[in-house]
Amino acid sequence: MSYNTIKFEQKDNFAILTLNRPDKLNALNTELFNELDDAITKVELDDSIKLLILTGEGEKAFAAGADIKELNQSDKNSGKLFSQKGSKVMRRLELLNIPVIAAVNGFALGGGCELAMSCHIRFASDNAKFGQPEVNLGILPGYGGTQRLPRLVGVAKAIELTISGNIIGANDALNIGLVNQVYPQSELMDKTVEFANLVLSKGSMAVSASIDAIYQSQNLSLNDGLDYESKLFGELCASNDFKEGTSAFIEKRKANFKGN
Ligand code: COA
């Protein structure tokens, strides 16, 4: 599939996916969701891709939300489908078994904020702006915003942001835990790739299992979560990466992980 609304760039062992409708502030329309869905399948099927970075084209926006012109046509049934479609794609992104990092390079509003939240972590440029302004349109966040925002920033802050529609800057987003780091716009991608390379130097099975276990902590009781963690721990102890990592420590050398 060739892409009109996203760019998919494969590096050695990671990929960069860029939302590419800069003249519309990378607003998320149906074509873009279809292409994103296809790209996620591509990532799933390619074992050489060990990490994914998601960003927006241009210096102004990561994504300014769902495409309001498309949304405007919705009724009760099509509106529900509109929400489900975006949610499904974002859930697939979140469930990828490799780290997914959002490099938020400008506006991340509505669906843009929701897309960033469906990534595992978020780095932001200093000009980035975050918000769930759907109440201004007479709707609520429809791509998981009411579910992921409270998990990230707590219920009270999520309600404050969602019912006010207020837009916050990158440093406020950092303070409430919505983003992990803030960098000058010119450094955002370099810093993101630097972090990506740090993660890529670790045992990839251990990295994936860690993300899996941490996400499961949101669904499981503490006892069930501890059991799940022990199960994954045992599985990793049967991997070559585990033998390599522990042997490298004992032999005082750098580990050379192979991801198996
Ligand atoms: N859906 C569709 N088109 C959008 C869009 C969206 N969510 N956000 C921006 N665009 C389009 C604009 O219509 C405009 O297109 P045009 O040149 O064909 O008119 C283009 O992107 C540039 O946006 P513009 O509004 O002119 O830029 P700005 O710098 O004046 O304002 C924002 C930037 C982000 C404040 C403003 O675009 C905005 O409020 N967007 C909607 C945010 C929103 O409510 N998102 C939630 C959607 S559920």
Side-chain angles (χ1 to χ4, degrees):
M1 181 178 191
S2 67
Y3 299 137
N4 283 323
T5 61
I6 63 171
K7 286 194 292 187
F8 185 81
E9 199 185 343
Q10 198 163 338
K11 306 282 188 186
D12 263 1
N13 50 359
F14 69 97
I16 302 178
L17 215 157
T18 306
L19 309 172
N20 190 24
R21 298 182 74 208
D23 55 327
K24 301 294 176 199
L25 303 187
N26 301 320
L28 311 169
N29 64 3
T30 303
E31 186 182 16
L32 190 147
F33 274 125
N34 287 338
E35 293 184 0
L36 210 48
D37 208 30
D38 185 84
I40 292 169
T41 303
K42 200 180 273 194
V43 172
E44 278 173 349
L45 295 175
D46 189 338
D47 285 346
S48 72
I49 300 175
K50 304 285 188 203
L51 183 145
L52 181 65
I53 296 172
L54 186 63
T55 192
E57 183 64 31
E59 297 198 339
K60 205 169 163 187
F62 175 73
D67 190 303
I68 298 171
K69 281 189 187 140
E70 267 190 7
L71 177 64
N72 176 253
Q73 307 301 317
S74 301
D75 59 19
K76 185 173 178 183
N77 289 327
S78 60
K80 186 176 176 190
L81 289 173
F82 191 96
S83 163
Q84 285 174 331
K85 180 169 179 88
S87 267
K88 188 168 154 262
V89 175
M90 291 187 196
R91 186 72 175 138
R92 287 192 69 207
L93 192 66
E94 181 172 59
L95 290 176
L96 279 173
N97 68 349
I98 55 170
V100 182
I101 306 175
V104 181
N105 55 308
F107 288 115
L109 303 179
C113 188
E114 291 168 302
L115 181 60
M117 289 192 289
S118 67
C119 297
H120 299 143
I121 59 173
R122 285 149 292 285
F123 294 156
S125 58
D126 48 7
N127 68 321
K129 295 211 179 318
F130 295 81
Q132 296 293 159
E134 285 87 348
V135 284
N136 297 327
L137 304 171
I139 46 174
L140 84 168
Y143 298 147
T146 64
Q147 305 305 303
R148 292 193 182 93
L149 189 57
R151 284 172 160 85
L152 284 170
V153 306
V155 168
K157 210 63 198 169
I159 290 180
E160 178 193 331
L161 280 171
T162 307
I163 68 174
S164 66
N166 280 344
I167 308 296
I168 59 170
N171 284 315
D172 285 339
L174 180 67
N175 286 337
I176 63 172
L178 181 53
V179 301
N180 295 69
Q181 301 287 342
V182 178
Y183 298 112
Q185 165 105 2
S186 59
E187 294 174 21
L188 175 66
M189 198 39 89
D190 284 351
K191 292 287 187 189
T192 306
V193 170
E194 188 181 308
F195 182 82
N197 282 324
L198 172 71
V199 175
L200 289 163
S201 72
K202 316 293 178 188
S204 59
M205 291 174 74
V207 166
S208 295
S210 301
I211 295 173
D212 181 13
I214 290 166
Y215 267 92
Q216 286 303 327
S217 74
Q218 298 178 340
N219 305 321
L220 299 175
S221 68
L222 182 57
N223 281 336
D224 287 347
L226 293 172
D227 283 347
Y228 190 67
E229 183 187 75
S230 297
K231 176 178 112 54
L232 295 181
F233 191 91
E235 286 169 13
L236 289 173
C237 287
S239 70
N240 291 324
D241 276 358
F242 165 71
K243 298 282 176 263
E244 168 62 12
T246 48
S247 302
F249 177 83
I250 292 162
E251 292 160 17
K252 298 189 187 303
R253 61 174 175 82
K254 196 173 177 307
N256 180 16
F257 293 115
K258 297 277 197 300
N260 59 31

